[in-house]
Amino acid sequence: MRILLAEDDRIIADGLQRSLRKAGYAVDCVANGVDADTALVSQQFDLLILDLGLPKLSGIEVLRRLRARKKALPVLILTAQDGLEDRVRGLDAGADDYMSKPFALPELEARVRALTRRGTGTPTRIEFGNLSYDRSDRQVKIAGQTVILSARELGLLEILLLRAGRLVNKEHLVDHLCGWGEEVSTNAIEVYVHRLRKKLDASGITIATVRGLGYCLEKPADISVAADTQEPDGGH
Ligand code: CA
């Protein structure tokens, strides 16, 4: 899940970014409305967290432009505590939800989960072989057993699952796994892939390396046939 955070208050932006990243989201930050608008035109996000009081271009205007482009992207607006009028204008302009500052991070995270669950057409639950991944509660199960993954491993798995069976190049992984300004080398990606491979071991699902290009998530060709052959003879 990739979130665009448009907030000019450095302290709020840093705190939000840190906690959302910890929760496994890739977060990109912009500090003014023009940069927010540019990012929304040129890139794909799963959620926009939008401060209404932004320099250069107001949050309301960013939102109006977004909706004018017929984008269904979920939008959570941040408003001043006494900003009833702002709130109304924001919701009228097409925001999905709002939070008044100051807010408690756990509450914001809960709203983010609810909004990303509604989503933009990506399925909430992804099944691949005997692995299932629920994007709403970020639970991964292999054959019904919960697997514990770090936030980064989870992010990586999600990207690979959304493109299962297809090549995912390293550039795409770097883009979607990390927000801007966050240094991540391709070496680090290799380490996450290595760890994730180990955790997927029991599933028979493999992360194939496509030399020089990237990775591809693959499941055993026919898990059901393999399971059948393991049954004792004369099963029924
Ligand atoms: Ca502001």
Side-chain angles (χ1 to χ4, degrees), residues 12 15-17 19-20 99 103-111:
I12 294 178
L16 265 179
Q17 189 177 19
S19 76
L20 289 169
M99 296 239 17
F103 47 79
L105 282 174
E107 191 188 347
L108 181 119
E109 282 176 29
R111 304 233 181 162

Side-chain angles (χ1 to χ4, degrees), residues 40-119:
L40 290 166
V41 168
S42 58
Q43 308 203 39
Q44 289 288 328
F45 298 95
D46 298 294
L47 176 71
L48 167 65
I49 300 177
L50 179 67
D51 175 33
L52 290 187
L54 285 176
K56 292 190 185 175
L57 188 67
S58 75
I60 288 286
E61 190 52 33
V62 171
L63 184 55
R64 284 204 186 109
R65 292 185 186 189
L66 175 77
R67 293 309 185 214
R69 292 191 294 273
K70 305 283 176 217
K71 282 277 176 100
L73 179 71
V75 177
L76 173 65
I77 52 173
L78 304 178
T79 66
Q81 192 168 27
D82 52 356
L84 175 65
E85 214 171 290
D86 270 358
R87 243 168 276 163
V88 173
R89 281 201 303 152
L91 294 171
D92 281 348
D96 298 276
D97 201 356
Y98 69 86
M99 296 239 17
S100 305
K101 299 177 194 178
F103 47 79
L105 282 174
E107 191 188 347
L108 181 119
E109 282 176 29
R111 304 233 181 162
V112 166
R113 276 197 300 276
L115 286 172
T116 51
R117 191 158 45 222
R118 261 186 250 167

Side-chain angles (χ1 to χ4, degrees), residues 158-173:
E158 182 177 300
I159 296 166
L160 291 170
L161 275 172
L162 289 171
R163 294 187 162 204
R166 287 178 288 162
L167 172 73
V168 180
N169 64 41
K170 280 189 182 171
E171 219 169 69
H172 181 87
L173 284 176

